[in-house]
């Protein structure tokens, strides 16, 4: 899918230079930037990332329940 994004001249020149320095295309720079933005906001980037996040969410209640039991055992000892 193609979408049009507009940059001011200064920003575009800096992006082109960054691409040259890193031997990357503007598309590769954009892919990296958008992946970082999605990650920052907790949005899975691909299926693998979505599955990891889903597994963590399912494990979270089990872990907190175990932690609560451990705390209650410690509290009874004191």
């Amino acid at each position: 899918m193609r979408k049009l994004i507009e940059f001011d001249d200064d920003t575009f020149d800096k992006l082109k230079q960054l691409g040259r320095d890193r031997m990357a295309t503007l598309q590769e720079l954009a892919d990296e930037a958008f992946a970082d933005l999605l990650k920052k906001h907790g949005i899975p980037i691909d299926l693998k990332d979505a599955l990891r996040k889903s597994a963590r969410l399912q494990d979270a209640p089990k872990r907190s329940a175990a932690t609560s039991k451990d705390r209650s055992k410690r509290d009874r000892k004191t």
Side-chain angles (χ1 to χ4, degrees), residues 6-46:
E6 187 173 328
F7 296 104
D8 62 77
D9 291 337
D10 187 44
T11 301
F12 185 67
D13 290 340
K14 290 176 182 176
L15 287 170
K16 284 193 308 187
Q17 186 60 49
L18 178 62
R20 280 189 226 114
D21 293 345
R22 294 183 53 195
M23 296 178 60
T25 65
L26 186 58
Q27 183 64 53
E28 291 168 334
L29 295 176
D31 290 345
E32 180 182 345
F34 287 119
D36 289 347
L37 181 64
L38 292 172
K39 184 178 178 181
K40 174 184 171 186
H41 291 281
I43 300 169
I45 299 165
D46 56 12

